[in-house]
Amino acid sequence: MSSLQFALELIFTGLCVGAVYSLIAHGFNITFWTTKVVNFGHGPFIMFCSMIVLSFLMKGLPWIVSIPIGFAIIVIIGLILERVSVRPLLKYPTSMGWIVSTLGVGLFLQALASKIWGAQALAFPPFIFEATDYVSIFGIRLSAQYLLVLVMALVIMMLMEMVMNKTIWGKAMKAVAHDPNFARVMGIKSKIVITLSFMISAFLAGVAGILIAPIYGTITPEFGMNIMVLGFVAAVLGGIGSSKGALFGGLLLGVIEKLVGGYISTSAEHGVAFLILIIILALKPDGFFGVKVVQKV
Amino acid sequence: MKKFSVLVLGIILLFVTACSNSAISTSKNTKSNPDDGSNKETETIKIGMTSAVTGPYSEYGEGNKRGVELAIEKWNENGGINGKKIEVEILDDQLVPDKAANNIQQLLADPEIVAIIGPAGSGPGLATVPITEAKGMVHMNIVPQTIEVTYPNGTDQAPRKNVFSFALQNDVEANVLGEFAGEHWEKVGLLHESTAYGKSGMDLIANILEKDFNKKPVAREEYNQGVSDMTSQLSKIKNAGAEVVVVVGLGADLANIKKGMDRLGLDVPLVATNGALSLPYLEGAGDLVLGTIGSMIGALGKDPLSPEAQEFADAYKEKYGVDRYWGNDENNPQLFMSLNVANAYDGANVLFEALKNAESTKSEDIIKALESIQDFKGVNATYSFSETKHHAISEEALDLFEYVKEGDKIKLAPYKK
């Protein structure tokens, strides 16, 4: 294998792995737009939805039935999360209580999953592609499932950009984000917009879950929490609240990880994300695509 | 409102504290007279146990619990130890070292407890042995593979007086894998998880390759447990021209390694520690497992099973049926049971045998009786201990197994070159 091919292999794989982070970062963005809340329950949502889908699959139901049930349940949980752990806190705009409350819901889901399905790894069957399916690009074999995630991350980014910039919903979301009370005065049902944003975010967690779980092959109650952290780093790197940023941040993080693994040391590969987080928070806290928010008090 | 919140918080805290150290006391005491309990001490023999009964590693804790309970049932049905029924108190540590240490303190505070069956996992193992050692309490080490649990200064030095190990020690597994790789391949690629288990195990293997075969591994890479992609590690190993990949790791990660090898076209054999024989590997990698070679205690792979293994298998099947621990094959228990159920069963049986022979519940007497155990036939091995040898599983008990296809089914068969 030539050194160029090795480098390309690392970069392409990095893009694929990064797509997973992007997909998660997109989920963070939606709730951030409407409430400035980062839902730290997002990771366990990913896990919980894939667990529900898996349990219906194991009961012999086909994908086409299991997936809608899983999505319906996770969307309802998203609604509950908003009602229970976010809405009561929005009364205090300066409160950071949502960090604890959303994380709390996440930990609760994690514990609930251990109770229902046990704490051990459960095998997740292949979805759409087999685990061994690959696509050859410039002689480099890329996992088809990873590419599917990459395509999905791109599609979601484009959809979001479109919704935010071209539709009345996007404008409503922006208005709510800017000032929920004023938006209400203008006739926008702020509460419904906020609730919907959490439900859409939960839906995205579900999409991420069933696409990512087959890559890991097995899922445990901790599954979502681990990747959520990396998704969060991706969101911060790209600029939280920006769809382009989510995509770019995720892909960049993936590529950096793989390059560090390939050229420096594989033991440094996983720690590098946190180094990036520290650096970006210190030097460019708004990320690459984030907009500097000036708040009048 | 504020008072109300404080009250609710108080109640929650109380609830959490009450739940956090739930003891699972499995009293095997027969329906003894509910008298004042004054002669209870003479009626029962009580042992204590802490293990990962719940949590992500409950496969070991729950398995160990079942093993110990099966042994207790067997002994109690036959009249107990010198007429005394056996009782066990099991605490849950979820494989968290601090919790395990607390549990041990709690168990040691009970004057009725005469011996401890130790936790699963090297972390909790290392956290608890100093406590039992300081008290001189007999400590049966079941799962932790790290040598230091039993031999703090290496296997050529004296073991801890109170610790007797039924675990598959790191050095034993490394010897078998290192010798095997050294004998069969010139260019060996090494890959291990970044835990103490992975690092220390791989150090031992690399050492054997260098010392016994004068071979330097062409690549040595590591990964974090639970990571989804190992392209950089595997690409480097492939670039180095490895003819075999030797892995120290757990089943779920091995599945990802194998999938990555397949995708990258790294078409060389995969040789791995006992995780290769676990269900998560088979479930995660599917057909790709074919050809993978793993090391494991061979007892449950024998055909026919030894009388002791057969007795254990029958007892397990009768009580629990064909479940996750038993494995997919209805007629034969899976090999992995040697590492999560049979090891605890053996440990408990040997302990009870020693208690019987000692005719005493004093720690020194039990230790003496344990050290005099010779050729005691268990499920995993035939056990002999001495003052200098406190571990039971040696290289002879280990075999190499390979996944082969038989008709439509994937099976594990003893490795044949």
Side-chain angles (χ1 to χ4, degrees), chain A residues 20 23-24 46 149 207-217 223 227:
Chain A
V20 170
L23 205 55
I24 298 162
I46 294 172
V149 175
V207 173
I210 57 158
L211 290 180
I212 300 169
I215 292 176
Y216 281 75
F223 156 65
I227 43 174

Side-chain angles (χ1 to χ4, degrees), chain A residues 186-201:
Chain A
M186 298 303 287
I188 297 169
K189 294 195 168 80
S190 297
K191 280 185 181 166
I192 293 182
V193 172
I194 289 173
T195 308
L196 262 177
S197 73
F198 274 85
M199 289 165 77
I200 297 171
S201 167

Side-chain angles (χ1 to χ4, degrees), chain B residues 100-102 104-105 108 127-137 162:
Chain B
N102 279 339
I104 289 286
Q105 299 278 21
L108 291 185
T128 51
V129 277
I131 307 170
T132 50
E133 192 181 21
K135 205 166 176 200
M137 173 70 81
N162 65 320

Side-chain angles (χ1 to χ4, degrees), chain A residues 198-297:
Chain A
F198 274 85
M199 289 165 77
I200 297 171
S201 167
F203 180 80
L204 282 187
V207 173
I210 57 158
L211 290 180
I212 300 169
I215 292 176
Y216 281 75
T218 51
I219 49 173
T220 62
E222 277 86 44
F223 156 65
M225 210 51 125
N226 299 341
I227 43 174
M228 178 184 78
V229 177
L230 295 166
F232 178 70
V233 177
V236 174
L237 182 62
I240 201 151
S242 155
S243 308
K244 279 184 225 145
L247 184 72
F248 177 78
L251 299 184
L252 183 65
L253 180 62
V255 172
I256 294 176
E257 267 192 5
K258 289 295 146 193
L259 289 178
V260 167
Y263 289 108
I264 301 175
S265 152
T266 42
S267 34
E269 183 176 325
H270 308 291
V272 74
F274 301 100
L275 183 69
I276 293 174
L277 182 66
I278 295 168
I279 295 173
I280 200 85
L281 285 177
L283 300 180
K284 204 170 174 4
D286 302 310
F288 284 104
F289 289 87
V291 190
K292 210 170 184 100
V293 182
V294 182
Q295 255 183 352
K296 276 189 199 162
V297 186

Side-chain angles (χ1 to χ4, degrees), chain A:
Chain A
M1 195 191 281
S2 70
S3 59
L4 176 69
Q5 205 191 0
F6 180 59
L8 278 179
E9 178 136 10
L10 292 176
I11 292 169
F12 283 170
T13 318
L15 290 175
C16 289
V17 173
V20 170
Y21 307 152
S22 297
L23 205 55
I24 298 162
H26 282 311
F28 279 133
N29 276 346
I30 298 183
T31 56
F32 189 80
W33 285 339
T34 55
T35 54
K36 295 276 177 286
V37 164
V38 176
N39 174 13
F40 283 110
H42 197 71
F45 272 44
I46 294 172
M47 172 277 301
F48 208 77
C49 185
S50 38
M51 283 282 192
I52 297 169
V53 171
L54 179 62
S55 63
F56 282 111
L57 286 175
M58 289 198 294
K59 287 209 168 71
L61 290 175
W63 284 100
I64 197 150
V65 181
S66 309
I67 292 177
I69 301 177
F71 280 13
I73 295 176
I74 204 69
V75 166
I76 293 168
I77 297 175
L79 174 106
I80 296 170
L81 173 125
E82 193 269 333
R83 287 288 157 88
V84 174
S85 70
V86 178
R87 189 174 290 190
L89 294 165
L90 289 179
K91 280 182 241 157
Y92 316 102
T94 51
S95 156
M96 298 296 265
W98 51 265
I99 298 178
V100 177
S101 61
T102 54
L103 190 63
V105 171
L107 291 175
F108 171 76
L109 282 181
Q110 223 172 309
L112 187 65
S114 313
K115 193 80 199 158
I116 303 175
W117 296 289
Q120 275 130 23
L122 297 173
F124 199 92
F127 176 58
I128 302 183
F129 296 109
E130 287 295 320
T132 49
D133 287 348
Y134 60 82
V135 177
S136 213
I137 300 170
F138 301 124
I140 291 156
R141 294 171 173 187
L142 294 172
S143 153
Q145 189 71 29
Y146 261 125
L147 287 176
L148 181 67
V149 175
L150 183 61
V151 170
M152 203 51 149
L154 271 167
V155 169
I156 290 174
M157 186 211 77
M158 289 193 287
L159 271 178
M160 290 216 192
E161 285 288 308
M162 212 173 73
V163 169
M164 284 307 272
N165 297 326
K166 300 265 157 69
T167 66
I168 189 87
W169 271 100
K171 284 187 180 130
M173 273 191 172
K174 278 183 187 164
V176 172
H178 194 71
D179 188 339
N181 291 324
F182 192 65
R184 202 156 52 233
V185 173
M186 298 303 287
I188 297 169
K189 294 195 168 80
S190 297
K191 280 185 181 166
I192 293 182
V193 172
I194 289 173
T195 308
L196 262 177
S197 73
F198 274 85
M199 289 165 77
I200 297 171
S201 167
F203 180 80
L204 282 187
V207 173
I210 57 158
L211 290 180
I212 300 169
I215 292 176
Y216 281 75
T218 51
I219 49 173
T220 62
E222 277 86 44
F223 156 65
M225 210 51 125
N226 299 341
I227 43 174
M228 178 184 78
V229 177
L230 295 166
F232 178 70
V233 177
V236 174
L237 182 62
I240 201 151
S242 155
S243 308
K244 279 184 225 145
L247 184 72
F248 177 78
L251 299 184
L252 183 65
L253 180 62
V255 172
I256 294 176
E257 267 192 5
K258 289 295 146 193
L259 289 178
V260 167
Y263 289 108
I264 301 175
S265 152
T266 42
S267 34
E269 183 176 325
H270 308 291
V272 74
F274 301 100
L275 183 69
I276 293 174
L277 182 66
I278 295 168
I279 295 173
I280 200 85
L281 285 177
L283 300 180
K284 204 170 174 4
D286 302 310
F288 284 104
F289 289 87
V291 190
K292 210 170 184 100
V293 182
V294 182
Q295 255 183 352
K296 276 189 199 162
V297 186

Side-chain angles (χ1 to χ4, degrees), chain B residues 280-306:
Chain B
Y281 178 55
L282 183 60
E283 285 176 344
D287 272 358
L288 290 178
V289 298
L290 287 173
T292 303
I293 300 160
S295 60
M296 177 55 91
I297 295 172
L300 295 175
K302 300 269 189 286
D303 190 22
L305 293 176
S306 70

Side-chain angles (χ1 to χ4, degrees), chain B residues 45-120:
Chain B
I45 286 183
K46 193 172 175 187
I47 56 169
M49 175 171 172
T50 174
S51 203
V53 185
T54 65
Y57 302 95
S58 58
E59 202 138 345
Y60 291 97
E62 173 64 25
N64 276 196
K65 176 172 165 262
R66 292 180 182 193
V68 170
E69 284 175 354
L70 281 174
I72 291 176
E73 262 167 44
K74 183 178 114 173
W75 279 75
N76 281 350
E77 267 168 29
N78 296 323
I81 299 171
N82 301 328
K84 293 177 191 171
K85 297 284 175 190
I86 309 162
E87 200 180 298
V88 59
E89 180 170 356
I90 304 174
L91 300 178
D92 181 18
D93 58 44
Q94 298 196 321
L95 217 98
V96 178
D98 292 354
K99 256 191 202 168
N102 279 339
N103 287 350
I104 289 286
Q105 299 278 21
Q106 195 179 327
L107 292 170
L108 291 185
D110 182 347
E112 281 179 37
I113 287 178
V114 300
I116 295 286
I117 294 185

